[in-house]
Amino acid sequence: NIQELTPLIFSDTWEFDEDLTAFAKHVMNVDTSYRTARTYSQELAAFNRFLNQRLGKTIEDVAEADLWTYRALRLSGPYNLRLSPSSWNKTAATLLRYTEYSKLNFADTYWSNFSAGREDDDAVRMVDIPTYIRFREIGLGPSRFYLRNKAFAEIMITTGMRCSEGSSLLKSELPPARDFGPRLSTELNMPYSICKGLRSRTVHYSRRVAKEYIDAYINEERSHVSHRLIGELFPARIYTKSALLEQSYWLYYISADTD
Protein backbone atom coordinates (compact mmCIF):
# COMPACT_ATOMS: atom_id res chain seq x y z
CA ASN A 1 0.00 0.00 0.00
CA ILE A 2 1.88 3.07 -1.28
CA GLN A 3 0.61 6.57 -0.70
CA GLU A 4 -0.10 8.75 -3.72
CA LEU A 5 2.98 10.70 -4.97
CA THR A 6 5.39 8.44 -3.10
CA PRO A 7 8.60 8.21 -5.22
CA LEU A 8 9.29 4.78 -6.68
CA ILE A 9 12.98 3.86 -6.86
CA PHE A 10 14.43 1.61 -9.54
CA SER A 11 17.93 0.24 -10.04
CA ASP A 12 20.11 1.07 -13.04
CA THR A 13 18.70 -2.05 -14.72
CA TRP A 14 15.15 -0.82 -14.09
CA GLU A 15 14.41 -3.33 -11.35
CA PHE A 16 12.01 -2.08 -8.69
CA ASP A 17 13.87 -1.50 -5.41
CA GLU A 18 11.45 -2.39 -2.63
CA ASP A 19 13.80 -1.45 0.23
CA LEU A 20 14.57 2.07 -0.98
CA THR A 21 10.97 2.68 -1.96
CA ALA A 22 9.96 1.57 1.55
CA PHE A 23 12.23 4.31 2.90
CA ALA A 24 10.54 6.87 0.62
CA LYS A 25 7.17 5.64 1.87
CA HIS A 26 8.37 6.07 5.46
CA VAL A 27 9.41 9.68 4.78
CA MET A 28 6.04 10.42 3.17
CA ASN A 29 4.19 8.98 6.16
CA VAL A 30 6.26 10.88 8.73
CA ASP A 31 6.80 14.22 6.98
CA THR A 32 3.74 14.18 4.68
CA SER A 33 5.89 16.08 2.18
CA TYR A 34 6.23 14.94 -1.41
CA ARG A 35 9.20 17.23 -2.03
CA THR A 36 11.10 15.93 0.99
CA ALA A 37 10.42 12.33 0.00
CA ARG A 38 11.51 13.04 -3.58
CA THR A 39 14.75 14.75 -2.50
CA TYR A 40 15.63 11.98 -0.05
CA SER A 41 14.85 9.33 -2.67
CA GLN A 42 17.08 10.98 -5.27
CA GLU A 43 19.97 11.36 -2.81
CA LEU A 44 19.66 7.81 -1.54
CA ALA A 45 19.47 6.40 -5.07
CA ALA A 46 22.70 8.28 -5.95
CA PHE A 47 24.43 6.86 -2.87
CA ASN A 48 23.21 3.38 -3.78
CA ARG A 49 24.73 3.74 -7.28
CA PHE A 50 28.01 4.78 -5.67
CA LEU A 51 27.98 1.64 -3.51
CA ASN A 52 27.17 -0.59 -6.49
CA GLN A 53 29.56 0.92 -9.04
CA ARG A 54 32.51 2.07 -6.90
CA LEU A 55 32.52 -0.38 -3.98
CA GLY A 56 30.68 -3.38 -5.39
CA LYS A 57 28.22 -3.32 -2.49
CA THR A 58 24.50 -3.07 -1.96
CA ILE A 59 22.95 -0.67 0.49
CA GLU A 60 22.10 -3.57 2.77
CA ASP A 61 25.87 -4.11 3.27
CA VAL A 62 26.74 -0.46 3.89
CA ALA A 63 29.39 0.20 6.54
CA GLU A 64 30.14 3.40 8.42
CA ALA A 65 33.39 3.84 6.50
CA ASP A 66 31.40 3.88 3.24
CA LEU A 67 29.54 6.99 4.37
CA TRP A 68 32.81 8.82 4.99
CA THR A 69 34.27 7.64 1.68
CA TYR A 70 31.23 9.08 -0.07
CA ARG A 71 31.52 12.33 1.88
CA ALA A 72 35.16 12.73 0.84
CA LEU A 73 34.27 12.07 -2.80
CA ARG A 74 31.42 14.59 -2.91
CA LEU A 75 33.26 17.34 -1.03
CA SER A 76 36.89 16.86 -2.08
CA GLY A 77 36.84 14.57 -5.11
CA PRO A 78 36.95 15.47 -8.82
CA TYR A 79 35.21 18.77 -9.57
CA ASN A 80 32.59 17.12 -11.77
CA LEU A 81 31.46 15.06 -8.76
CA ARG A 82 31.68 17.71 -6.06
CA LEU A 83 28.78 19.26 -4.20
CA SER A 84 28.66 22.59 -2.46
CA PRO A 85 28.43 22.40 1.34
CA SER A 86 24.72 23.30 1.26
CA SER A 87 24.01 20.61 -1.34
CA TRP A 88 26.05 18.05 0.59
CA ASN A 89 24.04 18.81 3.71
CA LYS A 90 20.90 17.61 1.95
CA THR A 91 22.75 14.39 1.16
CA ALA A 92 24.03 14.12 4.74
CA ALA A 93 20.50 14.58 6.11
CA THR A 94 19.29 11.82 3.80
CA LEU A 95 21.99 9.34 4.80
CA LEU A 96 21.60 10.01 8.51
CA ARG A 97 17.86 9.65 8.16
CA TYR A 98 18.35 6.34 6.37
CA THR A 99 20.76 4.98 9.00
CA GLU A 100 18.23 5.86 11.69
CA TYR A 101 15.42 4.25 9.69
CA SER A 102 17.50 1.10 9.14
CA LYS A 103 18.63 1.01 12.80
CA LEU A 104 22.30 1.13 11.82
CA ASN A 105 24.39 1.90 14.88
CA PHE A 106 27.09 4.21 13.47
CA ALA A 107 28.31 5.88 16.65
CA ASP A 108 30.93 8.10 14.98
CA THR A 109 28.63 9.53 12.31
CA TYR A 110 26.28 12.28 13.43
CA TRP A 111 25.15 15.65 12.11
CA SER A 112 27.74 17.91 13.72
CA ASN A 113 30.67 16.04 12.17
CA PHE A 114 29.06 14.59 9.03
CA SER A 115 27.51 17.80 7.71
CA ALA A 116 29.62 20.38 5.88
CA GLY A 117 30.60 23.95 6.71
CA ARG A 118 32.39 26.68 4.82
CA GLU A 119 35.76 25.16 5.65
CA ASP A 120 34.82 22.16 3.50
CA ASP A 121 34.45 24.29 0.39
CA ASP A 122 37.69 25.01 -1.47
CA ALA A 123 36.07 26.03 -4.75
CA VAL A 124 37.28 29.27 -6.36
CA ARG A 125 34.72 32.00 -5.71
CA MET A 126 36.41 35.07 -7.17
CA VAL A 127 38.87 36.03 -9.90
CA ASP A 128 40.58 39.38 -10.34
CA ILE A 129 39.73 41.81 -13.14
CA PRO A 130 42.77 41.02 -15.37
CA THR A 131 41.92 37.30 -15.22
CA TYR A 132 38.29 38.00 -16.13
CA ILE A 133 39.33 40.19 -19.08
CA ARG A 134 41.61 37.42 -20.40
CA PHE A 135 38.69 35.00 -20.06
CA ARG A 136 36.36 37.41 -21.90
CA GLU A 137 38.74 38.27 -24.72
CA ILE A 138 40.62 34.98 -25.12
CA GLY A 139 38.66 32.26 -23.37
CA LEU A 140 35.38 33.18 -25.06
CA GLY A 141 36.79 33.80 -28.50
CA PRO A 142 37.38 33.93 -31.28
CA SER A 143 34.37 31.75 -31.94
CA ARG A 144 31.31 31.59 -34.13
CA PHE A 145 29.34 33.71 -31.64
CA TYR A 146 32.14 35.84 -30.23
CA LEU A 147 30.09 39.03 -29.74
CA ARG A 148 27.25 37.13 -28.09
CA ASN A 149 29.57 35.38 -25.65
CA LYS A 150 31.30 38.61 -24.66
CA ALA A 151 28.00 40.47 -24.28
CA PHE A 152 26.55 37.74 -22.09
CA ALA A 153 29.64 37.60 -19.86
CA GLU A 154 29.80 41.37 -19.49
CA ILE A 155 26.14 41.83 -18.56
CA MET A 156 26.38 39.00 -16.02
CA ILE A 157 29.47 40.49 -14.38
CA THR A 158 28.29 44.10 -14.25
CA THR A 159 24.65 43.57 -13.21
CA GLY A 160 24.87 40.51 -10.97
CA MET A 161 22.13 38.72 -12.89
CA ARG A 162 21.83 34.97 -12.68
CA CYS A 163 22.66 33.13 -15.90
CA SER A 164 19.07 31.90 -16.17
CA GLU A 165 17.82 35.49 -15.91
CA GLY A 166 20.20 36.87 -18.51
CA SER A 167 19.44 34.11 -21.00
CA SER A 168 15.69 34.75 -20.59
CA LEU A 169 15.77 38.48 -21.32
CA LEU A 170 14.21 39.73 -24.54
CA LYS A 171 15.80 42.30 -26.84
CA SER A 172 12.97 44.74 -26.08
CA GLU A 173 13.76 44.59 -22.36
CA LEU A 174 17.30 45.96 -22.81
CA PRO A 175 17.29 49.70 -23.60
CA PRO A 176 19.82 50.75 -26.26
CA ALA A 177 22.63 53.10 -25.29
CA ARG A 178 20.95 56.06 -27.05
CA ASP A 179 18.09 55.94 -24.50
CA PHE A 180 20.40 56.54 -21.53
CA GLY A 181 20.89 60.22 -22.25
CA PRO A 182 23.52 61.70 -19.90
CA ARG A 183 23.15 58.87 -17.39
CA LEU A 184 25.95 56.33 -16.99
CA SER A 185 23.52 53.60 -15.94
CA THR A 186 19.82 52.90 -15.68
CA GLU A 187 17.65 50.65 -13.57
CA LEU A 188 16.56 47.49 -15.30
CA ASN A 189 13.41 45.91 -13.88
CA MET A 190 13.65 42.15 -14.15
CA PRO A 191 10.30 40.42 -14.86
CA TYR A 192 9.19 38.23 -11.97
CA SER A 193 8.67 35.30 -14.34
CA ILE A 194 12.41 34.86 -14.90
CA CYS A 195 13.63 35.63 -11.38
CA LYS A 196 14.32 33.14 -8.61
CA GLY A 197 11.29 32.55 -6.44
CA LEU A 198 9.13 34.47 -8.97
CA ARG A 199 10.11 37.73 -7.26
CA SER A 200 10.94 40.62 -9.55
CA ARG A 201 14.05 42.63 -8.79
CA THR A 202 15.98 45.60 -10.15
CA VAL A 203 19.58 45.67 -11.38
CA HIS A 204 21.75 48.55 -12.62
CA TYR A 205 22.49 48.37 -16.35
CA SER A 206 25.58 50.24 -17.60
CA ARG A 207 25.55 52.49 -20.67
CA ARG A 208 29.07 51.31 -21.46
CA VAL A 209 27.93 47.69 -21.53
CA ALA A 210 24.88 48.58 -23.60
CA LYS A 211 26.94 50.48 -26.18
CA GLU A 212 30.11 48.40 -26.42
CA TYR A 213 28.66 44.91 -25.99
CA ILE A 214 24.87 44.50 -26.12
CA ASP A 215 24.14 46.97 -28.94
CA ALA A 216 27.17 45.75 -30.88
CA TYR A 217 25.94 42.16 -30.65
CA ILE A 218 22.32 43.05 -31.54
CA ASN A 219 23.28 45.24 -34.51
CA GLU A 220 25.92 42.96 -35.98
CA GLU A 221 25.99 39.28 -35.04
CA ARG A 222 22.39 38.88 -33.91
CA SER A 223 20.95 40.72 -36.91
CA HIS A 224 22.73 38.35 -39.31
CA VAL A 225 21.60 35.27 -37.37
CA SER A 226 18.01 36.56 -37.20
CA HIS A 227 17.96 37.36 -40.92
CA ARG A 228 19.25 33.91 -41.81
CA LEU A 229 16.79 32.19 -39.47
CA ILE A 230 13.83 34.15 -40.85
CA GLY A 231 14.91 33.17 -44.34
CA GLU A 232 15.01 29.49 -43.36
CA LEU A 233 11.64 29.51 -41.57
CA PHE A 234 9.84 31.75 -44.07
CA PRO A 235 11.34 31.18 -47.54
CA ALA A 236 10.79 34.15 -49.85
CA ARG A 237 9.57 31.88 -52.64
CA ILE A 238 6.61 30.84 -50.48
CA TYR A 239 5.93 33.82 -48.25
CA THR A 240 5.29 36.43 -50.93
CA LYS A 241 2.06 38.37 -51.31
CA SER A 242 1.24 36.81 -54.67
CA ALA A 243 1.98 33.27 -53.46
CA LEU A 244 -0.14 33.69 -50.34
CA LEU A 245 -3.01 35.19 -52.28
CA GLU A 246 -2.97 32.27 -54.68
CA GLN A 247 -3.08 29.76 -51.80
CA SER A 248 -5.83 31.36 -49.73
CA TYR A 249 -9.11 32.89 -50.73
CA TRP A 250 -9.41 34.19 -47.19
CA LEU A 251 -6.21 36.20 -47.55
CA TYR A 252 -7.44 37.37 -50.92
CA TYR A 253 -10.63 38.85 -49.47
CA ILE A 254 -8.79 40.44 -46.57
CA SER A 255 -6.36 42.01 -49.01
CA ALA A 256 -9.15 43.20 -51.23
CA ASP A 257 -10.89 44.87 -48.30
CA THR A 258 -7.77 46.68 -47.12
CA ASP A 259 -6.31 47.76 -50.48
Side-chain angles (χ1 to χ4, degrees), residues 2 35-36 62 66 72 87 99 107 149 152 176 208 212 214 250:
I2 296 179
R35 290 191 176 184
T36 300
V62 64
D66 301 332
S87 295
T99 59
N149 296 344
F152 188 76
R208 176 189 66 84
E212 297 180 12
I214 305 299
W250 180 78

Side-chain angles (χ1 to χ4, degrees), residues 7-166:
L8 303 180
I9 305 178
F10 294 82
S11 68
D12 291 341
T13 57
W14 291 102
E15 296 179 5
F16 180 63
D17 194 314
E18 295 184 8
D19 293 333
L20 297 190
T21 301
F23 171 71
K25 179 182 176 182
H26 166 75
V27 174
M28 282 284 290
N29 290 336
V30 174
D31 295 330
T32 64
S33 170
Y34 163 67
R35 290 191 176 184
T36 300
R38 182 181 63 181
T39 299
Y40 280 22
S41 299
Q42 291 171 340
E43 297 294 344
L44 193 60
F47 177 62
N48 190 43
R49 285 195 298 273
F50 162 77
L51 291 174
N52 297 161
Q53 298 173 7
R54 293 293 186 97
L55 304 181
K57 288 186 173 184
T58 65
I59 201 163
E60 290 80 8
D61 303 321
V62 64
E64 188 169 15
D66 301 332
L67 299 180
W68 289 94
T69 300
Y70 190 59
R71 184 185 190 275
L73 176 69
R74 301 314 298 269
L75 287 175
S76 306
Y79 279 102
N80 63 321
L81 297 177
R82 287 193 190 187
L83 297 175
S84 67
S86 59
S87 295
W88 165 254
N89 286 341
K90 290 191 296 183
T91 302
T94 300
L95 298 180
L96 293 177
R97 183 75 171 270
Y98 179 76
T99 59
E100 179 184 0
Y101 163 78
S102 301
K103 296 181 173 56
L104 297 173
N105 185 22
F106 294 157
D108 295 328
T109 304
Y110 40 89
W111 179 256
S112 61
N113 69 351
F114 196 57
S115 60
R118 292 185 179 180
E119 66 277 4
D120 295 296
D121 188 6
D122 62 354
V124 175
R125 295 300 180 194
M126 181 177 67
V127 297
D128 56 27
I129 295 298
T131 301
Y132 163 68
I133 292 176
R134 287 198 300 273
F135 165 74
R136 186 190 66 198
E137 299 300 325
I138 302 174
L140 293 179
S143 67
R144 185 177 180 182
F145 300 109
Y146 180 44
L147 295 180
R148 180 201 64 183
N149 296 344
K150 290 206 304 182
F152 188 76
E154 195 68 14
I155 198 172
M156 293 295 101
I157 290 294
T158 57
T159 63
M161 290 183 194
R162 296 178 177 86
C163 291
S164 58
E165 294 171 344

Side-chain angles (χ1 to χ4, degrees), residues 236-259:
R237 67 181 184 280
I238 298 176
Y239 291 89
T240 63
K241 182 177 180 180
S242 59
L244 291 173
L245 290 176
E246 290 176 1
Q247 297 176 40
S248 173
Y249 286 109
W250 180 78
L251 285 177
Y252 174 78
Y253 289 121
I254 294 296
S255 177
D257 291 340
T258 56
D259 284 346

